[in-house]
Amino acid sequence: MSKNKSSESVKVVVRCRPLNRREESNGPAGGIIQMDLRLGQVILRNPRAPASEPQKTFTFDAVYDANSKQRDLYDESVRPLIDSVLAGFNGTIFAYGQTGTGKTYTMQGAWLDPEKRGVIPNAFDHIFTHISRSQSDRQYLVRASYLEIYLEEVRDLLDPNHGSARALELRESPDSGVYVRDLTSCVCKSIKEIEEVMNVGNQARAVGATDMNEHSSRSHALFLITVECSQPGPDGRKHIRVGRLNLVDLAGSERQAKTGVQGERLKEAAKINLSLSALGNVISALADGRSGHVPYRDSKLTRLLQDSLGGNAKTVMVATLGPSSLHYDETLTTLRYANRAKNIQNQPRVNEDPKDALLREFQMEIARLRAQLNHRKWRSKQKKEGLVDEEGWERDEEEDTDGEDEGVEVEKEAEEYVKLEEQRLEREKDAIREDQFMLAEEKQRLLGEKERMMGDLRKEQEATEQLTAKYKAMESKLLVGGKNITDHTNEQQKMLEMKRQEIAEQSRSEREIQQQVLAQDEETLELRETFTSLQQEVEAKTKKLKKYLKLYAKLQCIKAEIQDVNDEHVRSRQELEQTQNELTRELKFKYLIIENFIPPEEKNKIMNRLTFDTEEDQWKFQPLVPAESKSSQMKKRPASAVGYKRPISQYARVAIAMGANSRYRAENIMFLELDMTPPNTASLDRSTEAEPNQSHSVDSSPTKDRGVRKSRSWCQTPKSLTSSSSNVSLSACHTATPMAAQ
Ligand code: ADP
Ligand code: MG
């Protein structure tokens, strides 16, 4: 699956924008940046430091000053990367820098002005021109997606319900690395189509934001292009290479103010800083090379850029700077950041025949549709031949054409066949109508049959048309080398581009050589130490002294640098501590609410249901009832009351089983309340006789007494009465049923 497994470092280029009108009005002291384009160096002056303090110098792969053209940056630093993507490598370009320094200008630029078109539109041009110029045995499939990360949530900018849709999740697969699940991906067949995709995304981004500048400076925008290319290999089989290109416009690198903000704003600031500081930590860990752990999982951004930083990708970082002295600290931080990123080593490789290549699926689907069409073609041909033979017409021999004209040809043939068939059926219908000897009924039947046959014919034609349309739609999605794209540039332009590329290549290698010469200069000085005279010795020693002086100056620079870095660490630690304090305060506030306003058992219930989802990096509630056993569990009743609404005693169960009206059966309270006492006169009459031995009389004439006693509710009667009434009921049961005797 992989080849060309060499490692290469992240290319870092720096671009400085011109002074804007406001900065210009601040006077000539405005600019703090000087650039040596030949050496690829940025020299930074500290406006607050005394003039004697040495300036800071940083060296990069290339630097672009205020006069640089969009085209220069593209040809020199981006074009080789896009070429690699077209060859099947993963590629990433990200713009990093303070808000207002030209990240969006570099990535997108002004679309309508050809001079000011940024990296993204130039890359679109490049990709589709390359396809149009490639050999015709190659097939391409180009797809585009557009997403943004805002407050640590990934949002699909091409989803029509962008505003209301749920944040997307990140997943990892061995084939394509970290990817976004359910992300919309649009197949693009031309520059116009892919530009349309970009526009749709940009509009979605602007709609969601109340203040676009504010929003874009706080969110990261990622435009992803996947180019799949199928080409016959030496083994005769088609091989697919997949290049993925990430074009990233990061949020402003400036620290979000955390002082004085609370609640949502504090969380927001913490989250925006989180992904950028996570990016910084990842870069530091990779540049350092010693620490085994790289904290990719700390933020969504670093997870998505995992392959681009230290993985399977070629990466270009464009660090953008503002020349104003007001932002010296931020500019210095950006330069340090960029300087560190230079040391990251990637291991890019060609992605060959990955399992998830969409092009393969498309090719298979097209082959299936073509087979279906061929089958229809064969069938219609058969029928046509039969028809022609039948009619005694001349049969015209036709050659088989294959490939992309298949659909058109089959459609033509089908049409021709349908026309002939219809004509034949019409003729037959006429013949039937004119037949004098046929019965009217028979005529009707035959005409109906012919009508049905014509209906079938039309249905079949419709099916063929649908199939052909599907086939054409599928096939049009694939771009074939040397075709499909109408805006061919002529040979002259091609030559011009090649020349431009050569010049860019030349200036790049020149710069590299200059940098090497500079480094070697200092070393070679020592080798020329053989001197013949005192004069020479003096000269040599003076030179040496100068060299030591130079080294001393360098040492001072490095010391100052160390001091700066320490200061910055102290500053960021203080900020972190401050954030921690604020968050702790909020936490304590929440604890206070929980302790005082939420009953402990409720709290425990909630706590027991909480689980931490490592994939999404947040706490989640477990469902109250496990999903799979939901229905069965809801039906179950406690064992103590199977089949009844409330618990019931053993005695009452026995009584019910015997059919008696039990005093202790379930729900008997209501029953008793409603069982009204018989008229008083009856009991008065009997009370005088039964008085002396009441218990006995109850025992001996249970059936008579039962009605009176039973009418008393257990809750109204005194204790003694309750026990006797229970006796009554018991004896009543004994006497009422023969089973009681047992
Ligand atoms: P960011 O995206 O970093 O916040 P922008 O790209 O929006 O910054 O740039 C801010 C302003 O500066 C814009 O008006 C843009 O046109 C201008 N600008 C940035 N870089 C350049 C440049 N290299 N040349 C001319 N104008 C630039
Ligand atoms: Mg911007």
Side-chain angles (χ1 to χ4, degrees):
M1 194 193 135
S2 65
K3 62 179 178 190
N4 206 355
K5 215 176 183 176
S6 59
S7 94
E8 65 165 55
S9 53
V10 169
K11 297 252 172 312
V12 181
V13 304
V14 170
R15 184 180 206 187
C16 180
R17 70 156 166 76
L19 278 168
N20 60 28
R21 233 173 260 153
R22 194 161 34 85
E23 290 163 348
E24 264 171 3
S25 65
N26 286 351
I32 50 167
I33 287 170
Q34 274 179 34
M35 284 182 156
D36 186 332
L37 306 186
R38 213 166 43 88
L39 283 174
Q41 282 184 339
V42 180
I43 300 131
L44 184 71
R45 178 176 64 84
N46 183 353
R48 293 189 295 270
S52 59
E53 192 186 289
Q55 297 182 338
K56 293 186 170 64
T57 307
F58 298 86
T59 308
F60 298 99
D61 291 293
V63 295
Y64 299 93
D65 64 8
N67 303 318
S68 63
K69 301 260 178 315
Q70 295 275 47
R71 194 83 218 175
D72 296 340
L73 184 132
Y74 188 82
D75 283 339
E76 231 179 80
S77 302
V78 183
R79 186 172 283 278
L81 182 89
I82 306 291
D83 280 331
S84 304
V85 170
L86 289 165
F89 286 95
N90 293 340
T92 298
I93 304 162
F94 64 94
Y96 177 92
Q98 198 189 346
T99 298
T101 51
K103 293 182 299 297
T104 308
Y105 181 82
T106 301
M107 293 309 286
Q108 301 205 28
W111 285 73
L112 299 177
D113 185 346
E115 285 285 301
K116 290 186 182 168
R117 283 159 73 87
V119 166
I120 295 177
N122 279 325
F124 293 168
D125 257 2
H126 186 165
I127 290 169
F128 285 99
T129 312
H130 172 92
I131 293 173
S132 76
R133 286 181 189 164
S134 65
Q135 285 158 11
S136 57
D137 61 350
R138 295 186 186 188
Q139 276 186 326
Y140 290 88
L141 182 70
V142 182
R143 281 180 289 153
S145 304
Y146 200 5
L147 63 92
E148 78 172 347
I149 305 175
Y150 183 59
L151 296 182
E152 279 307 285
E153 286 188 347
V154 180
R155 302 228 168 253
D156 188 349
L157 290 172
L158 302 182
D159 184 351
N161 309 317
H162 157 74
S164 53
R166 251 172 58 84
L168 300 180
E169 291 170 10
L170 300 187
R171 289 278 177 271
E172 200 163 351
S173 88
D175 252 334
S176 47
V178 178
Y179 66 96
V180 184
R181 206 170 78 166
D182 300 332
L183 183 68
T184 311
S185 148
C186 301
V187 174
C188 301
K189 302 190 285 284
S190 63
I191 299 174
K192 216 167 143 242
E193 281 188 22
I194 202 165
E195 282 181 353
E196 188 56 37
V197 169
M198 179 104 220
N199 279 341
V200 168
N202 281 346
Q203 269 162 24
R205 218 177 161 208
V207 165
T210 41
D211 178 347
M212 183 54 198
N213 272 346
E214 167 91 354
H215 177 79
S216 71
S217 71
R218 288 157 171 266
S219 66
H220 312 287
L222 279 80
F223 193 84
L224 318 174
I225 307 177
T226 312
V227 184
E228 299 186 7
C229 170
S230 143
Q231 186 186 3
D235 56 357
R237 286 179 48 224
K238 280 187 177 173
H239 289 278
I240 293 180
R241 282 169 301 160
V242 180
R244 294 185 196 88
L245 177 64
N246 305 323
L247 300 156
V248 189
D249 187 353
L250 292 175
S253 61
E254 64 275 6
R255 281 172 197 284
Q256 304 287 329
K258 281 182 282 186
T259 39
V261 291
Q262 282 185 348
E264 282 306 307
R265 290 286 287 177
L266 175 70
K267 267 193 237 163
E268 184 179 300
K271 274 186 178 167
I272 290 161
N273 281 355
L274 176 104
S275 57
L276 278 172
S277 58
L279 183 66
N281 293 340
V282 165
I283 290 176
S284 297
L286 287 166
D288 185 20
R290 277 174 297 176
S291 52
H293 173 67
V294 184
Y296 290 116
R297 296 184 81 94
D298 280 3
S299 79
K300 296 261 161 43
L301 177 70
T302 45
R303 272 203 85 191
L304 269 176
L305 293 181
Q306 185 163 340
D307 255 342
S308 313
L309 298 164
N312 169 23
K314 293 186 177 224
T315 303
V316 173
M317 171 178 177
V318 184
T320 55
L321 308 174
S324 163
S325 58
L326 295 174
H327 304 301
Y328 169 79
D329 291 332
E330 284 297 344
T331 306
L332 182 61
T333 314
T334 303
L335 284 168
R336 289 223 174 92
Y337 216 90
N339 207 31
R340 245 178 292 160
K342 280 191 318 193
N343 301 326
I344 298 174
Q345 291 293 318
N346 283 349
Q347 293 81 38
R349 55 174 191 268
V350 173
N351 304 312
E352 200 162 313
D353 291 327
K355 280 191 212 81
D356 57 356
L358 203 67
L359 185 57
R360 176 90 64 221
E361 277 175 39
F362 270 55
Q363 281 174 340
M364 274 155 61
E365 179 67 11
I366 288 171
R368 196 180 63 79
L369 289 173
R370 183 182 290 169
Q372 276 186 18
L373 275 172
N374 273 343
H375 181 66
R376 275 176 186 274
K377 178 181 164 186
W378 175 80
R379 240 177 33 200
S380 67
K381 213 172 187 172
Q382 291 271 319
K383 283 182 188 168
K384 198 172 131 194
E385 277 170 12
L387 188 69
V388 170
D389 282 348
E390 208 175 273
E391 300 281 324
W393 290 341
E394 214 172 281
R395 191 188 314 163
D396 54 342
E397 288 293 323
E398 270 174 293
E399 292 266 294
D400 245 20
T401 47
D402 57 350
E404 60 288 340
D405 294 334
E406 202 92 45
V408 184
E409 203 212 322
V410 172
E411 203 172 24
K412 249 199 282 169
E413 286 217 357
E415 263 174 36
E416 207 178 308
Y417 162 69
V418 169
K419 223 191 272 167
L420 285 175
E421 265 297 81
E422 272 181 351
Q423 281 170 4
R424 187 176 68 95
L425 287 170
E426 275 305 331
R427 269 200 307 279
E428 283 178 8
K429 270 162 83 177
D430 287 345
I432 291 168
R433 276 193 213 103
E434 283 160 18
D435 195 339
Q436 312 271 323
F437 305 103
M438 208 180 273
L439 286 173
E441 227 170 72
E442 182 69 4
K443 250 186 197 177
Q444 207 57 39
R445 191 183 60 77
L446 282 175
L447 280 174
E449 205 168 284
K450 294 292 168 203
E451 206 58 53
R452 195 178 44 76
M453 276 165 84
M454 269 177 119
D456 286 351
L457 202 65
R458 279 190 204 114
K459 256 188 224 155
E460 182 140 337
Q461 194 194 5
E462 257 169 43
T464 311
E465 271 169 18
Q466 271 175 10
L467 199 65
T468 316
K470 204 170 163 192
Y471 172 81
K472 278 190 204 158
M474 249 352 232
E475 218 192 29
S476 74
K477 283 183 181 168
L478 296 191
L479 300 172
V480 181
K483 282 199 196 175
N484 285 77
I485 294 162
T486 46
D487 50 342
H488 277 272
T489 39
N490 57 28
E491 279 303 304
Q492 231 172 351
Q493 198 169 349
K494 200 169 161 186
M495 290 294 290
L496 194 73
E497 259 172 42
M498 271 167 67
K499 276 273 171 286
R500 220 192 262 160
Q501 215 169 318
E502 265 172 35
I503 293 168
E505 188 64 41
Q506 215 168 341
S507 65
R508 199 168 43 239
S509 58
E510 234 172 62
R511 192 165 41 245
E512 265 170 31
I513 292 167
Q514 289 275 1
Q515 285 175 1
Q516 279 169 10
V517 167
L518 203 74
Q520 276 172 4
D521 252 6
E522 289 162 11
E523 287 169 23
T524 47
L525 216 63
E526 279 175 30
L527 299 173
R528 289 194 241 116
E529 271 190 8
T530 43
F531 25 76
T532 46
S533 67
L534 208 63
Q535 179 63 27
Q536 268 184 337
E537 194 177 340
V538 170
E539 271 177 23
K541 295 230 159 126
T542 322
K543 265 187 191 168
K544 222 174 191 177
L545 196 66
K546 274 187 190 158
K547 186 188 147 192
Y548 285 136
L549 280 175
K550 241 181 175 174
L551 276 180
Y552 181 72
K554 230 180 189 174
L555 179 73
Q556 293 300 350
C557 269
I558 291 169
K559 272 187 180 168
E561 190 90 340
I562 292 170
Q563 185 60 37
D564 278 350
V565 173
N566 279 342
D567 287 352
E568 201 184 313
H569 273 165
V570 169
R571 233 186 0 254
S572 60
R573 208 187 59 207
Q574 279 171 350
E575 267 185 34
L576 284 176
E577 276 171 3
Q578 194 194 339
T579 315
Q580 195 190 9
N581 284 343
E582 306 234 12
L583 290 174
T584 315
R585 229 182 60 198
E586 266 202 25
L587 194 66
K588 280 184 180 164
F589 175 61
K590 301 258 155 84
Y591 267 130
L592 189 84
I593 294 175
I594 293 170
E595 295 302 332
N596 291 288
F597 295 97
I598 299 181
E601 61 273 18
E602 288 302 321
K603 189 184 98 182
N604 285 342
K605 269 189 223 163
I606 293 170
M607 295 295 275
N608 289 338
R609 282 178 56 207
L610 281 177
T611 49
F612 191 73
D613 185 342
T614 45
E615 202 53 61
E616 289 198 35
D617 201 25
Q618 58 184 353
W619 288 95
K620 280 191 167 171
F621 271 119
Q622 274 178 338
L624 272 171
V625 181
E628 71 277 4
S629 61
K630 213 172 197 167
S631 52
S632 60
Q633 200 157 345
M634 291 308 281
K635 279 183 212 142
K636 262 192 199 162
R637 300 199 117 253
S640 62
V642 184
Y644 297 95
K645 286 188 182 166
R646 55 184 68 162
I648 186 164
S649 70
Q650 183 60 33
Y651 168 77
R653 271 184 227 180
V654 172
I656 290 163
M658 290 187 296
N661 201 357
S662 166
R663 167 74 175 82
Y664 290 104
R665 60 183 271 183
E667 311 300 320
N668 58 355
I669 297 163
M670 285 303 288
F671 181 77
L672 285 173
E673 289 300 336
L674 291 170
D675 193 4
M676 301 303 288
T677 316
N680 273 348
T681 46
S683 58
L684 272 176
D685 285 346
R686 297 192 68 238
S687 60
T688 43
E689 299 163 33
E691 195 96 48
N693 50 350
Q694 195 182 30
S695 68
H696 182 252
S697 78
V698 165
D699 273 345
S700 58
S701 57
T703 42
K704 279 181 190 166
D705 259 295
R706 209 173 80 213
V708 180
R709 301 276 175 155
K710 218 182 96 189
S711 71
R712 291 172 195 271
S713 167
W714 61 273
C715 58
Q716 289 166 345
T717 47
K719 257 207 157 92
S720 58
L721 199 68
T722 315
S723 66
S724 71
S725 74
S726 77
N727 284 341
V728 171
S729 322
L730 246 182
S731 53
C733 286
H734 281 283
T735 48
T737 54
M739 267 177 74
Q742 295 163 19

